[in-house]
DNA sequence: CCGCATTGATACCGTACGGATATGAGTGAC
DNA sequence: GTCACTCATATCCGTACGGTATCAATGCGG
């Protein structure tokens, strides 16, 4: 019984995402008929129907839903293998650290300085990225280790918490709410977050598709009252702005800064970085409780 | 830049494991020359040397080591996708539960009975397997959920602890040590465990390659004094044997029975089983503290 | 020191499979 | 009923994968 091939998975994911053979074929840079045949062969190979097609619409079967999910993770794993092997073969090895700009609690310089003194240290290459970028980079092998705030999708990653701190809400200084010293979630009803979701936790649909905003853009939108924003205390402290007030919110889940890396990593350079990160935060008296042990054989 | 293909990864893993092109080719059911060429093409594609070969021996480069690890997980992910899709397409859906025989703290019947009453329940198919079998089955899609004791390699799995209980050591009843009510690790110096490792925690190399032993075999070996064995308290209670004494050992790490499932699973049947498992153990007054929250986006 | 055995690399060839083009067939819209 | 749309089928072609034959390099024994 021969194996599934990467090509088949790529084809299937394209069709399952587009739900349209023509567009999927275009996206894959090929003609539609061979794509149809490939999907048919895949279904025959699995002995399972993946797509229900009429001439007017294409839908996923339950088995197709399952395969779409698993195929994505399998494709991630394959391209991660490819990227990591490429990187491991480079003559100048580097430690690729993915992080969100400014989400380092101000400890990045100290961490890098301490890391340089490590035995197993490699030159560090910083990869600044937006929301979700870090995790994606770790998963597909573009980064070796990441610094990022919870919550995030930690599937396939090992995680070590570094610092837990309360989150504040950023408001226009002129906002009536800014007169209060502490807010309650209900006070923020009707306000939107940068990703378009409701700020009071109600499950209203996003007002617009989440765009990628940088810090300056967010602060500007906060200043003009378009949005409010939750951010860790340390980040607020580093961005004092006259037009913006930072206020605590009752019951707002705190944010934890963590260092994360791919579970299968055995790189000494990564291990050294994690060790250094922990000790830097511990030395600064900011350390979190030890992370729960998860069994390894 | 085209993708890596599953075939290439399979070939590379075979060669990297055998460190011998001829044997690897035989294992793959093909001739040696095309295998050599495939590996060369793979190295060219990656732009990275993976194997150092002389005519007398083959060795992995550092990049090869990295790829071997990542390729194995990628291949696991691919065959898991295949297996799960096949299973999801079966007209009679089942919940495939992997467990170690008798490592259920005696709660299996209650769990199954409670599970049957669940809304999302499917017929349960039990898969009894030896050490490490459960994890492998979860990872490559042969099982949907597993019941097994820590520690184990939990990469890629979500885990929910059910019951933590002390482990005891099984000794021949006639052993002088059996006269004591509690032992210390040092008392077991020189004794071997079923997997051939030293029972006192010293890092002596295994005396023989770990064989797969079933319970009856292990008990027999304990009775004749060949080995000692650590086992959870509940398991000892279910196997009272006149020729065997069970004694607590100071500082012996307890065993935790957990329910585990693939992280990417979204199956309601699995979720229901996990919920039932937790509640059965909770109702029995054996529940463990809640597992640590791990962030999910 | 020189064969000989071992083992990976190279050369060459046939075939099977993946992809393109052309066309058919079913379905919903007007 | 006709047209537009979309997926399936038929057929052809090129490439790339695998097989056989052979070479080249290395280590070992006589």
């Amino acid at each position: 019984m021969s194996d599934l091939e990467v090509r088949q998975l790529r084809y299937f994911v394209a069709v399952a995402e587009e739900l349209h053979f023509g567009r999927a074929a275009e996206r894959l840079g090929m003609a539609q008929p061979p794509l149809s045949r490939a999907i048919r062969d895949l279904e025959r190979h699995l002995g399972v129907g993946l797509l229900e097609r009429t001439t007017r619409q294409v839908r996923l079967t339950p088995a197709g839903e399952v395969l779409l999910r698993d195929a994505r993770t399998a494709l991630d794993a394959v391209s991660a293998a490819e990227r990591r092997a490429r990187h491991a073969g480079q003559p100048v090895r580097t430690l690729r650290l993915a992080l969100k700009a400014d989400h380092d609690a101000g400890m990045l310089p100290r961490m890098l300085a301490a890391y340089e003194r490590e035995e197993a240290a490699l030159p560090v290459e910083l990869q600044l990225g937006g929301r979700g970028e870090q995790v994606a980079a770790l998963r597909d092998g573009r980064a070796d280790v990441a610094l990022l705030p919870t919550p995030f999708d930690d599937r396939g990653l090992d995680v070590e918490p570094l610092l837990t701190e309360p989150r504040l809400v950023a408001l226009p200084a002129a906002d009536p709410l800014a007169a209060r010293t502490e807010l309650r979630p209900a006070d923020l009803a009707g306000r939107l977050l940068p990703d378009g979701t409701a700020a009071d936790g109600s499950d209203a649909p996003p007002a617009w598709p989440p765009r990628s905003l940088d810090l300056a853009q967010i602060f500007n939108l906060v200043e003009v009252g378009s949005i409010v924003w939750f951010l860790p205390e340390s980040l607020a402290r580093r961005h004092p702005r006259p037009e913006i007030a930072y206020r605590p919110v009752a019951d707002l889940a705190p944010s934890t800064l963590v260092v994360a890396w791919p579970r299968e990593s055995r790189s000494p350079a990564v291990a050294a970085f994690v060790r250094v990160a922990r000790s830097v935060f511990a030395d600064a008296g900011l350390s979190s409780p030890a992370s729960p042990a998860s069994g390894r054989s």
Side-chain angles (χ1 to χ4, degrees), chain A:
Chain A
M1 182 141 304
S2 99
D3 246 325
L4 228 47
E5 273 301 331
V6 166
R7 186 179 46 82
Q8 303 179 280
L9 293 179
R10 280 211 329 272
Y11 290 1
F12 172 73
V13 169
V15 176
E17 283 178 357
E18 300 283 348
L19 292 178
H20 190 290
F21 280 76
R23 280 195 296 276
E26 190 179 5
R27 194 173 111 184
L28 292 166
M30 66 187 291
Q32 168 261 319
L35 179 58
S36 284
R37 196 181 56 180
I39 298 292
R40 177 176 54 78
D41 291 348
L42 174 61
E43 289 177 314
R44 275 223 255 274
H45 174 80
L46 294 174
V48 165
L50 300 172
L51 297 161
E52 280 173 21
R53 24 275 209 213
T54 68
T55 53
R56 301 310 281 178
Q57 86 167 345
V58 176
R59 274 195 326 240
L60 281 168
T61 65
E65 306 257 15
V66 168
L67 183 60
L68 177 56
R69 181 177 299 279
D70 289 341
R72 283 202 185 105
T73 78
L75 290 175
D76 275 348
V78 170
S79 53
E82 177 164 0
R83 282 215 169 74
R84 294 214 192 92
R86 279 219 172 85
H87 181 247
Q90 295 308 312
V92 296
R93 304 286 299 276
T94 60
L95 182 80
R96 297 162 303 171
L97 170 61
L99 37 67
K100 264 175 107 167
D102 273 338
H103 283 78
D104 61 337
M107 306 292 276
L108 186 60
R110 241 177 292 184
M111 293 172 64
L112 295 180
Y115 178 68
E116 272 176 22
R117 291 191 295 271
E118 283 287 312
E119 179 74 25
L122 297 174
V124 176
E125 182 182 327
L126 292 185
Q127 296 187 344
L128 299 180
R131 176 168 191 77
E133 265 298 302
Q134 291 78 29
V135 178
L138 285 182
R139 255 202 274 281
D140 73 3
R142 280 173 298 160
D144 302 304
V145 62
L147 217 53
L148 75 173
T150 57
F152 60 92
D153 178 353
D154 67 348
R155 282 176 289 170
L157 306 179
D158 264 344
V159 162
E160 197 82 52
L162 296 175
L163 169 68
T164 298
E165 54 179 347
R167 286 189 298 167
L168 306 177
V169 62
L171 300 163
D175 193 293
L177 289 176
R180 318 247 303 262
T181 54
E182 186 179 61
L183 307 183
R184 325 186 103 265
D187 298 331
L188 298 171
R191 309 300 186 99
L192 293 177
L193 293 177
D195 62 0
T197 55
D200 63 343
S202 67
D203 50 1
W208 62 79
R211 280 181 302 159
S212 177
L213 299 172
D214 64 29
L215 274 186
Q217 292 173 320
I218 289 177
F219 281 129
N220 280 332
L221 289 172
V222 170
E223 281 170 356
V224 300
S226 300
I227 59 169
V228 297
W229 188 39
F230 297 135
L231 74 176
E233 195 173 38
S234 64
L235 184 52
R237 222 174 5 236
R238 295 180 66 193
H239 291 275
R241 294 169 73 108
E243 304 296 324
I244 293 186
Y246 300 107
R247 295 288 178 270
V249 179
D251 300 326
L252 184 59
S255 165
T256 296
L257 182 69
V258 305
V259 55
W261 64 97
R263 271 211 146 101
E264 59 272 23
S265 167
R266 289 292 178 278
S267 155
V270 169
F273 184 86
V274 173
R275 198 170 350 107
V276 163
R278 284 182 61 88
S279 79
V280 164
F281 277 88
D283 291 351
L286 301 166
S287 79
S288 314
S291 73
S294 61
R296 287 281 184 91
S297 70

